[in-house]
Amino acid sequence: MAAIIDGKKISAEIKEEVKQKMAVLAAKNKTVTLAVIQVGNDPASSVYVGNKKKACEYVGFCSLSYELPENTPQEELLSLVRELNERKDVDGILVQLPLPSHISEDKVIQAISPDKDVDGFHIQNAGRLFVGESGFVPCTPAGIIELLKRSGIEICGRECVVVGRSNIVGKPMAALLLQENGTVTICHSRTKNLTEVTKRADILVVAVGKPKFITADYVKEGAVVIDVGIHRNAQNKLCGDVDFDSVFPRASAITPVPGGVGPMTIAMLMSNCLRSAEQK
Ligand code: NDP
């Protein structure tokens, strides 16, 4: 039977640490400011943006909110990003994804100054991560490393399998596990005999974007299973990419959905913003 890795508790600890460090900065009359841009009013994005603003308030950051209409021209968004790049009082810039289809996400992400790219999506930060230099690391995989470390789970020398190779989760996750001296395999939609590969994993990270895709058949007895997926089922209940009920008896530790990886993403965003301000 698996131990539950409590993302709610660990994310609360991280936010508390950020809050305390922020109090030290505030005593020196310093502020930390995150600018959040949302284009259009996708309901899920509005919830994520709202949660990020709430977290800023909790830790003592200022947040600047830009809610732009769906039909905002790309050039207008790019010029707002450039303006925020120049502002000395802004430490982090976050553009909520997905963007409407007439806007190139890549162009917008690459327009953010790498020094304010607290999402860690800029190509310079991605490159730094892969060569092992310090930079901003994408919040979800950074949060997973914190979950593992703070739960006392050893990564060094262990077989780590990541299912999914997106630029925001799978690839940076693999790079971070490698940095921690794991033996890393990345799987994707063209992987042959997926169950054979995932069954090698001591640590299995699943970011495949398909509800309950990973069942007990994919999991070695005693593996640590990290579920990145977030889905809402027909009953409006949240579930992950892992079939929790079937995997739970087989794993040694597992993240639940909700309450696992999800809360860590925002905690690491706060941590990245603080770092940006401290580096100034
Ligand atoms: P993407 O859709 O960008 O990537 C999915 C990956 O899964 C791709 O690399 C794809 O392979 C791979 N894949 C798809 N089908 C299969 C298959 N049958 N077998 C093996 N691999 C497969 O998703 P993201 O990485 O952005 O997100 C993954 C999940 O995590 C989503 O549910 C998302 O909502 C969630 N998420 C949660 C966050 C959080 O804070 N908890 C943050 C970000 C994402 P290929 O490249 O070959 O197409």
Side-chain angles (χ1 to χ4, degrees):
M1 187 116 50
I4 301 283
I5 300 176
D6 190 345
K8 255 185 162 167
K9 177 168 157 270
I10 296 173
S11 67
E13 282 166 20
I14 293 173
K15 279 192 279 182
E16 204 50 49
E17 288 161 20
V18 172
K19 190 177 180 178
Q20 280 171 21
K21 288 183 186 156
M22 181 61 228
V24 175
L25 291 181
K28 298 177 193 159
N29 285 326
K30 293 191 175 144
T31 55
V32 176
T33 301
L34 172 67
V36 181
I37 306 172
Q38 183 182 356
V39 184
N41 43 20
D42 170 63
S45 292
S46 301
V47 171
Y48 292 138
V49 165
N51 288 343
K52 287 166 188 174
K53 284 193 241 167
K54 263 192 233 155
C56 281
E57 207 174 299
Y58 177 78
V59 298
F61 297 171
C62 309
S63 66
L64 299 174
S65 182
Y66 297 88
E67 285 155 26
L68 309 181
E70 180 85 20
N71 61 358
T72 301
Q74 175 170 294
E75 196 41 51
E76 197 177 312
L77 176 58
L78 287 171
S79 84
L80 172 60
V81 169
R82 286 186 211 111
E83 181 194 315
L84 294 168
N85 282 343
E86 294 304 315
R87 276 179 60 168
K88 296 248 182 310
D89 62 323
V90 172
D91 301 286
I93 303 170
L94 185 149
V95 179
Q96 184 64 43
L97 302 178
L99 289 169
S101 57
H102 66 280
I103 298 178
S104 155
E105 287 185 358
D106 192 50
K107 275 216 170 94
V108 173
I109 290 167
Q110 302 317 325
I112 297 171
S113 162
D115 299 332
K116 297 187 179 185
D117 168 41
V118 284
D119 257 341
F121 295 162
H122 192 282
I123 203 158
Q124 276 194 33
N125 284 314
R128 283 180 191 149
L129 173 61
F130 274 82
V131 294
E133 273 183 27
S134 114
F136 289 115
V137 174
C139 301
T140 303
I144 291 169
I145 295 291
E146 285 299 317
L147 277 182
L148 293 170
K149 287 187 171 170
R150 291 177 188 237
S151 305
I153 293 163
E154 176 86 33
I155 303 170
C156 180
R158 300 186 81 192
E159 288 276 354
C160 305
V161 175
V162 180
V163 189
R165 57 173 167 182
S166 70
N167 290 335
I168 61 170
V169 186
K171 284 183 202 156
M173 186 73 254
L176 287 170
L177 290 165
L178 186 62
Q179 224 168 62
E180 298 294 330
N181 301 309
T183 302
V184 182
T185 306
I186 309 178
C187 302
H188 44 78
S189 64
R190 316 284 174 89
T191 298
K192 296 215 162 57
N193 304 322
L194 183 63
T195 47
E196 276 172 34
V197 184
T198 56
K199 273 190 142 172
R200 291 208 304 261
D202 299 313
I203 298 174
L204 178 63
V205 181
V206 188
V208 62
K210 296 190 168 156
K212 301 192 181 184
F213 179 81
I214 294 289
T215 57
D217 295 343
Y218 289 79
V219 179
K220 179 171 82 174
E221 185 78 45
V224 172
V225 180
I226 305 291
D227 188 353
V228 184
I230 311 179
H231 310 275
R232 237 172 234 291
N233 67 13
Q235 292 77 43
N236 210 26
K237 247 186 99 189
L238 287 176
C239 74
D241 288 349
V242 173
D243 180 17
F244 186 89
D245 292 339
S246 86
V247 172
F248 178 70
R250 227 180 148 70
S252 62
I254 187 167
T255 56
V257 177
V261 173
M264 294 301 291
T265 302
I266 289 186
M268 298 316 289
L269 176 68
M270 298 300 108
S271 172
N272 277 353
C273 289
L274 181 78
R275 216 181 103 203
S276 176
E278 285 175 341
Q279 279 169 354
K280 245 191 338 210

